[in-house]
Amino acid sequence: MSVFTDQVLKVVRLVPYGKVASYGQVALMVGVPRAAIQVGWVLHQHGDDVPWWRVINSKGRISTSCMEHTAALQKSLLESEGVEVSEDMMIDMGVFRYAPSQEVLDSLN
DNA sequence: CGAATGACCAAGC
DNA sequence: GGCTTGGCCATTC
């Protein structure tokens, strides 16, 4: 497991209950702003170790677009945490987006 | 080492 | 934000 993978897992675990973060944001926190897609890759492999359902794409849409059953699961998981998810798998980023504190960011290094 | 792949992103229509 | 295009980057083959 690479440092990148390790960092991604660490960041995703920081996302609190009832909040969501985008792949791009996670990548940014990890230190590689353009590696958003790798974040998705990591989550796909470690779906049992992290709250992957709290990670969505930049438009607030559930990312598992090519896996319908998984998308439905993600929707139900988010709703069970109090996150509003429309029938089109859309989420209100302005309300549910996770804003990491400076202290949290420092703890990543 | 080079080529392909992907739970993505930003920009342009 | 709907769809297409080009570009990133880690991982795999």
Side-chain angles (χ1 to χ4, degrees):
Chain A
M1 182 169 0
S2 67
V3 177
F4 176 82
T5 301
D6 191 44
Q7 287 288 84
V8 169
L9 296 178
K10 185 187 293 184
V11 171
V12 174
R13 281 192 276 252
L14 289 176
V15 182
Y17 180 99
K19 291 284 185 178
V20 298
S22 74
Y23 290 90
Q25 185 176 10
V26 173
L28 194 62
M29 292 171 71
V30 169
V32 188
R34 302 168 186 187
I37 196 171
Q38 274 51 265
V39 174
W41 177 87
V42 170
L43 296 186
H44 201 184
Q45 285 193 28
H46 302 268
D48 296 326
D49 303 322
V50 298
W52 58 269
W53 55 89
R54 292 178 193 155
V55 183
I56 59 185
N57 64 20
S58 63
K59 295 188 178 63
R61 185 144 118 62
I62 286 178
S63 50
T64 57
S65 51
C66 57
M67 310 174 176
E68 298 180 13
H69 58 296
T70 304
L73 171 63
Q74 183 164 16
K75 180 174 183 291
S76 61
L77 285 169
L78 287 170
E79 292 181 327
S80 70
E81 298 190 346
V83 177
E84 286 181 29
V85 181
S86 73
E87 296 179 4
D88 292 352
M89 302 302 186
M90 304 292 251
I91 296 170
D92 189 335
M93 292 298 276
V95 178
F96 301 104
R97 191 170 129 108
Y98 167 51
S101 66
Q102 189 58 54
E103 295 180 0
V104 169
L105 295 177
D106 290 341
S107 70
L108 297 175
N109 310 321

